[in-house]
Structures are given as structure tokens and as C-alpha cells.
Amino acid sequence: MAFRLASARALGSAARYAVSSSRSSSVLARSSLISKQAPAQCFVFQNIQTANISTESKVDAPPMVYIAGEEMTHYCMNLIVDKWVKPYFNIDSWEHFDLSCKSRDVTNDQVLHDAVAAGKKIGAIFKEPTITPSAIQVKEMGLSKAFGSPNGAMRRGWNGITISRDTIHIEGIKLGYENPVLFERHAVGGEYGAGWAQVGKGTLITNYIPADGSAPIIVDKRDLTDDHNVAVVYHNPYDNIVDLAHYFFERCLEANVTPYVVTKKTVFKWQEGYWETMKSVFDAEYKTKFEEAGLLERSGGDLQHLISDAATMQLIRWTEGGFGMAAHNYDGDMLTDQIAQVHRSPGFITSNLIGKDEDGRIIKEFEASHGTVTDLWNDHLAGKDTSLNPLGLVEALIGAMNHAALLELEADAGYQETYDDIMKYTNNLRLAMHNTFRYGQGTRDMAGPTGFTTEDFVDKVAWRLGRYLEDNREATPPPVLDEPDRAFRKEFENIDMSKLHSIFDKYDKEGTGKIGFSDFTKMLVKMGIAPVKSTQGQAKEADV
């Protein structure tokens, strides 16, 4: 059994993308449906074919679930849909659900259950960032209770297999990783679904009662001697690890990157099954393919296991990119946050949930990996200019539209023209957005204090998108740029630059504003991020 992720093929003279995460077939259940390719999010080239759509000839968009959130990202997405989508598409077939805290409260969370049911029925979902209210926010918003994160309900309702979180790249702009970094985070199990209770002294017994009526098994028994304990019980469902393995390895082959599997199995012995399943699938169906592609040279000629501690270090060191990692739910959550920081910010990372229905049809939910951007929303409410970079939001919207078009085409080959139009539109949209950044017309996190406001950026991309759809290109290609100064990012606003200078001066012995190799080495060793020697390309695993 394997996913059939065909090579990214040109649609006419359309762009070829490096990673094909916007499409997979439904062979998870050995279905006979073979999916057509939908482009993904990493690299864009200039030869995008003109779409057969215009403001005078709108296309009927395929059915899709649109989940609205709140605050700044909701405001920005309203602008984007109004100015980038509605001029070219009739979106009456989209099913909208308001998952703001107020809406969830008014409906007693029925809106969440309805959204999950619609997502399962349609199979293509776009989700804006939402708020999981804290106790303080419950009071501030006047809510009846603290509603939990909707993500768990979605992952369960859509039989979640993996959450793909990949780096987004803009051709012509250097970012944190030079080449794609792919990540598969097991979508279910672990701490997120844990049962727990505060308990005192006594005996804690965890019993397993088999469904087949056989004798119960004591999974764990321990004596608690402290007056104050927190007892936590969770499990990791492993039936879908085979599906995850196929999806991961196919994507790594497609993107031409080296795969790694991450666990903490040296300490958490119960994680061994995750590694064993991934390795068995790799050996049986993928090792030869990776060898032929020359993708195992950096990993010692085989699929390499990284203990999670080592993975955190490699994510900092391997800034050339060109690798993929697969991990458990919690480790995947933490490691992808680290990837986001290396690759500039969470706005440059995708977050796509992959699930399936009972018939094996792939369900995909696309969202940005960042939150609702409360600080900018507060500025907006105060009447101040804001500058929100919508890159991650738009990649999610593009992914959802592409997958919706794919599902419609799989169900009825008569929708080929609609599918082609949407592929061409999303290609042009991505190019218009990326080129706007490259022409120095981006948001302030990329262009500095003179960057465009949220509204002006949306207007500029809308203008450029219209030109591209009419096949009206710039005479001069956009410039190639170094990575924009990270000081433009809002998280640098509270950085104490004087203390940074004092740390730098400690290693700048000669006061030249430069650090020699010897001092540079001492600095990295002291910080614990100096590269270490490896044996046959394999990172050392420490039992810590």
C-alpha cells in the first residue's frame, strides 16, 4: 500500500513546484481513484499560464468548508476573500462556519460539531486561526464557559493521520532554510488527549480491558507516596502509522529531501513501535528509491533515527534544509515551532491536517500555523496602522482551493476545465504575492518601517493578480534579495540591544565589530550549538 503522489507535472506551461503536499490520492484504503497533481507551496517560477477567468467571467468554485476565526487574521482574510477571490469566483458552494468564541458560546459549540460534519462530507477545509479562551478571556468576552481547542474534535472527526508543517519559500528571497524542510506530526494521541486527576497518597492502577472479552491486563501499578500528585493517562494510536509512513516517504521523494524519524525511544521505550513501523515500511518499499535518488548519503546510507534531543540541535545546524522529519504528536508540535523560528517566523510555515473518511477519500484541512495576532488586532481597534503578513493564511487558502478542485475532478471528470482554471489562478495568486515582496512592497516584517500596511498590501497584490491573470507581466523581473533584517519582526521590539552588544563585545576581543573563528567557536560551544562529530552520518543519541 502506498500513496500515489505523482511528480509535480506542468499544467500547460504552468509552474512546477518542489513539494506536492497539496495533493494525494485516496489509496489509503486501496481506492482505485488516482488523483491529479495539485501544486504545493514551496518554489514558484515565472512561466505561469494565463487563467481563463476574469472579473467578467467568474468560475463556480468547488465546494469547500470555510471556518472563520477572529481578531486580526479574520479581518485580513475578509479583505483577501473580497479582493482576491470574489472578483473571480462564485463561492456560493462554500459552507461557512463561525468558530469565534461568541459563536461557539451562543450555539453551545454546536457550530463546531456542524463544521466537523461538513468537513467530513466535503473533504476540503480552510480554517482561520481561532481562540481557545483562557479563564481571563472567558470573563472578558462574557462566555458561559472556557471552550476547548477545536483542533482535537477536528482531528478525531476527520480521522487525522498527520499534520504536515513545511517551510514556505519565496523564490528570489533568502530565508532561514535554503531548501525545503518537511515535517510530519502524528495527528492523534499523546498528551493532548490525556486523562488526568490530582491525587494524594495511595495506589494508582491502570487497567486495560480487551474488547474481545479476554482477561483484563494491568498496564501499570505504582504506589504514590507524595501528598500532592498529578496522575496522567494517555495512549498513542498506532494503526495509522503505516499511512503516515507512506505519506511521509512519498513527499520526501517528491521534494528530493532526506527523511529522518524522530522519537525519544531510548527513554520512552513505548515509542519503539513508531520507529519500527516507519523503518519496516521504508525498507520494504522506499529504501531503493531513496538510494537511486542519492538522498541517503547525508544519513549514512539508511533511514536514520534521531532522538528528539539531537533533532533540536540539527534543526539549528542544518540551515541548508533539504530534509524531512516525522515525529509523535507532542514532539512534532515543539520541533515545528523551532523550525518556524529558524525559518523566520510561524508565518512561513504551513499546517495541513491529513485525514480520511471511511471510504478512504483524503480529507485535508489547511490553516496558518500562527494565531490570531492579538497585538495587531488591538492596534487596529485603536485606529493605528497595522502590517500583517498573510503569507501563511494565503498558502492555506490556496491549498484548500486546490484540494477542493481535485476532489471535484475525482468525482466527475467533467470538471477538468474548472480544475485547470483553479490551478492557474492559485499559481498566479502565489506569484503575485511573492513578487510583491520581491519588489519591496511587502509588509513591515519583510520590508521594514516603510513596508505596506495590511490594507495596502492586500490592494497591491490584488492589482498585481489582475495584471497576471491578464498575462500582463512586469518588463523587469523582480530582484533577488537577501533575507530581510530580522529586526523587522515584531518579536524583536522588546529585545535589549545594549545587552546583545555586551554579549557580542565579550567575544569581539579586538573591538573591530567582527568575531574571529576561534572566538566564534568558543561562543557556539558555550551556547551548546557547536556541531559535533558523527559516525557514518549518524547523530549520537544520548540517554538523557
Side-chain angles (χ1 to χ4, degrees):
M1 175 172 59
F3 283 86
R4 295 183 183 128
L5 293 178
S7 299
R9 61 174 71 99
L11 296 171
S13 59
R16 187 181 190 277
Y17 289 80
V19 180
S20 57
S21 63
S22 294
R23 172 259 177 195
S24 69
S25 88
S26 45
V27 294
L28 273 172
R30 299 184 183 274
S31 169
S32 61
L33 291 176
I34 305 299
S35 301
K36 289 182 175 287
Q37 180 66 32
Q41 65 269 14
C42 281
F43 293 106
V44 181
F45 296 88
Q46 298 291 324
N47 57 335
I48 305 296
Q49 184 174 330
T50 304
N52 298 318
I53 56 176
S54 67
T55 54
E56 288 77 30
S57 179
K58 293 186 180 182
V59 173
D60 289 333
M64 185 177 88
V65 170
Y66 189 109
I67 296 175
E70 49 199 320
E71 296 194 331
M72 193 64 196
T73 46
H74 177 58
Y75 168 75
C76 186
M77 281 307 305
N78 282 340
L79 294 177
I80 286 170
V81 171
D82 285 343
K83 298 187 177 185
W84 297 1
V85 180
K86 286 183 178 179
Y88 307 103
F89 291 96
N90 171 18
I91 60 172
D92 290 344
S93 63
W94 289 8
E95 296 191 19
H96 288 79
F97 296 90
D98 178 3
L99 280 193
S100 66
C101 290
K102 284 289 187 182
S103 174
R104 294 181 67 185
D105 194 60
V106 168
T107 65
N108 195 28
D109 230 10
Q110 184 60 44
V111 64
L112 172 59
H113 300 305
D114 293 343
V116 171
K120 184 176 181 180
K121 176 185 68 176
I122 293 175
I125 306 101
F126 168 78
K127 178 181 175 291
E128 295 177 6
T130 53
I131 292 176
T132 300
S134 64
I136 294 176
Q137 288 174 314
V138 169
K139 293 181 180 179
E140 290 176 345
M141 296 181 185
L143 306 177
S144 61
K145 60 182 177 181
F147 290 90
S149 169
N151 293 333
M154 293 176 181
R155 292 167 192 169
R156 291 189 300 271
W158 300 329
N159 295 316
I161 299 165
T162 182
I163 302 166
S164 301
R165 287 186 172 171
D166 305 338
T167 52
I168 300 171
H169 297 257
I170 302 174
E171 186 185 19
I173 300 180
K174 295 180 181 179
L175 295 170
Y177 289 105
E178 296 175 21
N179 294 297
V181 174
L182 278 58
F183 206 102
E184 299 300 344
R185 169 189 168 191
H186 193 204
V188 294
E191 294 89 330
Y192 298 92
W196 63 278
Q198 294 193 44
V199 297
K201 292 179 180 178
T203 300
L204 178 67
I205 299 175
T206 304
N207 277 337
Y208 163 67
I209 303 174
D212 62 7
S214 54
I217 299 171
I218 296 178
V219 176
D220 184 73
K221 177 181 180 297
R222 63 186 61 208
D223 295 323
L224 308 181
T225 58
D226 290 295
D227 291 326
H228 185 196
N229 305 280
V230 177
V232 182
V233 179
Y234 64 83
H235 74 293
N236 279 285
Y238 274 2
D239 283 355
N240 62 13
I241 299 299
V242 172
D243 292 339
L244 187 155
H246 283 295
Y247 191 73
F248 175 57
F249 295 135
E250 288 285 357
R251 291 209 313 125
C252 287
L253 281 172
E254 197 65 42
N256 202 39
V257 303
T258 302
Y260 296 85
V261 175
V262 180
T263 76
K264 185 76 169 178
K265 67 185 182 71
T266 52
V267 176
F268 303 145
K269 304 302 181 183
W270 47 266
Q271 292 190 354
E272 185 69 39
Y274 183 93
W275 160 251
E276 288 178 345
T277 301
M278 297 290 287
K279 185 66 164 66
S280 64
V281 173
F282 179 83
D283 288 344
E285 301 193 39
Y286 294 99
K287 184 174 183 178
T288 300
K289 296 177 183 178
F290 278 95
E291 287 174 336
E292 292 172 350
L295 294 174
L296 298 182
E297 295 177 4
R298 69 182 287 173
S299 60
D302 204 350
L303 177 66
Q304 183 181 140
H305 172 266
L306 292 178
I307 193 172
S308 53
D309 309 62
T312 62
M313 302 305 296
Q314 304 301 22
L315 290 178
I316 297 173
R317 297 174 179 139
W318 292 346
T319 54
E320 75 280 5
F323 63 90
M325 290 184 180
H328 278 92
N329 199 347
Y330 182 77
D331 282 349
D333 197 3
M334 298 300 102
L335 292 172
T336 51
D337 283 344
Q338 187 178 356
I339 290 173
Q341 291 307 311
V342 174
H343 199 58
R344 193 167 186 86
S345 80
F348 290 78
I349 302 292
T350 65
S351 186
N352 308 332
L353 172 65
I354 312 301
K356 63 176 179 178
D357 63 17
E358 289 78 3
D359 297 324
R361 183 187 60 154
I362 298 301
I363 299 171
K364 288 191 177 185
E365 178 256 341
F366 300 81
E367 61 182 319
S369 64
H370 55 75
T372 57
V373 196
T374 302
D375 56 343
L376 290 188
W377 179 240
N378 290 335
D379 287 345
H380 174 76
L381 293 178
K384 299 178 182 179
D385 283 344
T386 64
S387 186
L388 174 68
N389 184 343
L391 182 64
L393 291 166
V394 177
E395 285 296 343
L397 180 65
I398 286 173
M401 291 181 68
N402 286 351
H403 189 59
L406 173 66
L407 293 177
E408 185 177 62
L409 179 61
E410 287 184 332
D412 186 343
Y415 285 101
Q416 182 68 56
E417 184 176 352
T418 299
Y419 174 86
D420 291 343
D421 282 343
I422 288 178
M423 294 301 111
K424 296 166 191 173
Y425 166 82
T426 54
N427 290 347
N428 276 287
L429 172 56
R430 184 182 281 111
L431 182 62
M433 184 169 58
H434 288 191
N435 280 356
T436 299
F437 283 116
R438 289 181 61 180
Y439 280 112
Q441 300 163 337
T443 46
R444 292 170 187 170
D445 63 325
M446 296 286 283
T450 61
F452 279 29
T453 65
T454 304
E455 296 81 4
D456 288 344
F457 180 77
V458 171
D459 287 342
K460 177 58 71 173
V461 173
W463 170 81
R464 183 163 277 116
L465 172 62
R467 287 168 56 88
Y468 287 2
L469 291 175
E470 295 174 358
D471 202 24
N472 186 5
R473 309 281 180 203
E474 292 90 349
T476 304
V480 174
L481 306 175
D482 289 331
E483 181 174 2
D485 192 337
R486 289 185 175 236
F488 297 160
R489 291 160 47 183
K490 60 183 176 63
E491 57 262 43
F492 275 73
E493 293 175 357
N494 296 321
I495 295 297
D496 189 328
M497 296 305 295
S498 63
K499 288 185 178 180
L500 274 182
H501 279 293
S502 67
I503 295 172
F504 181 86
D505 292 342
K506 179 180 179 181
Y507 294 95
D508 179 19
K509 303 295 186 183
E510 299 176 359
T512 62
K514 299 179 180 179
I515 297 177
F517 181 76
S518 177
D519 290 330
F520 176 73
T521 302
K522 292 176 183 177
M523 182 176 68
L524 293 190
V525 170
K526 187 168 184 178
M527 291 180 175
I529 60 175
V532 297
K533 295 179 180 179
S534 59
T535 303
Q536 294 182 348
Q538 295 196 11
K540 182 180 178 182
E541 295 186 359
D543 189 6
V544 295

